[in-house]
Amino acid sequence: MAGVSRERLAALLDSPVFAAVATIQPDGRPQQSVVWIRRDGEDLLFMIGVGSRKERNLRRDPRVSVLVSPPDEPYTYAAISGVATFEPERSVELRDELAVKYVGVTYPEHVARTPEAARGLGPITAVRVTPHRIAGRL
């Protein structure tokens, strides 16, 4: 993990930093989107919509890359490459954990306060990324 401090990475992942997740499209092009993320030991967890492009990409090819960068240090980053697995049984629990981390209340409370937060959100599934390589400057 040359160039990336495990301690700084853990602290960054424990903060409400947004992550860019890249998957591989059927034609080989990358597909990226921004997600809420949390750490579980060395692994990363995020959620995606069932039937979404990201879910279809990961089911076909579980290789994934996650990029995080502290907002106050834009020239530092960690690029985490690994393999994704689905954990649907953790979806509701993870959704609430992430909502508390990012907006300070559970997801149902967040939607009650901000109804547009639920717009277009259908069934979700939790995704676990087991890192194989971490690179960057952090």
Side-chain angles (χ1 to χ4, degrees):
M1 198 162 74
V4 177
S5 158
R6 287 184 184 273
E7 295 77 23
R8 288 193 69 202
L9 179 56
L12 179 61
L13 292 170
D14 290 343
S15 75
V17 66
F18 292 93
V21 172
T23 61
I24 302 168
Q25 300 259 37
D27 66 3
R29 291 179 300 131
Q31 185 268 341
Q32 297 177 304
S33 60
V34 176
V35 300
W36 289 351
I37 197 159
R38 75 174 290 258
R39 180 174 66 88
D40 184 20
E42 298 287 319
D43 291 352
L44 306 176
L45 297 168
F46 60 90
M47 60 186 186
I48 57 175
V50 172
S52 68
R53 167 53 60 196
K54 188 177 310 330
E55 184 206 18
R56 294 190 316 266
N57 287 347
L58 290 174
R59 289 205 185 276
R60 191 191 70 264
D61 185 339
R63 294 177 295 168
V64 64
S65 178
V66 179
L67 182 73
V68 291
S69 177
D72 58 339
E73 297 180 64
Y75 297 106
T76 63
Y77 67 94
I80 303 154
S81 300
V83 173
T85 55
F86 293 92
E87 296 185 358
E89 69 283 355
R90 292 214 47 201
S91 300
V92 172
E93 173 189 7
L94 178 62
R95 181 190 67 190
D96 283 342
E97 291 170 356
L98 290 171
V100 168
K101 177 181 175 181
Y102 285 86
V103 297
V105 295
T106 65
Y107 186 76
E109 293 170 309
H110 175 54
V111 170
R113 291 182 187 175
T114 316
E116 63 271 12
R119 189 177 312 135
L121 185 65
I124 57 169
T125 189
V127 177
R128 176 178 297 274
V129 175
T130 302
H132 291 163
R133 182 173 187 268
I134 301 173
R137 297 175 48 182
L138 185 67

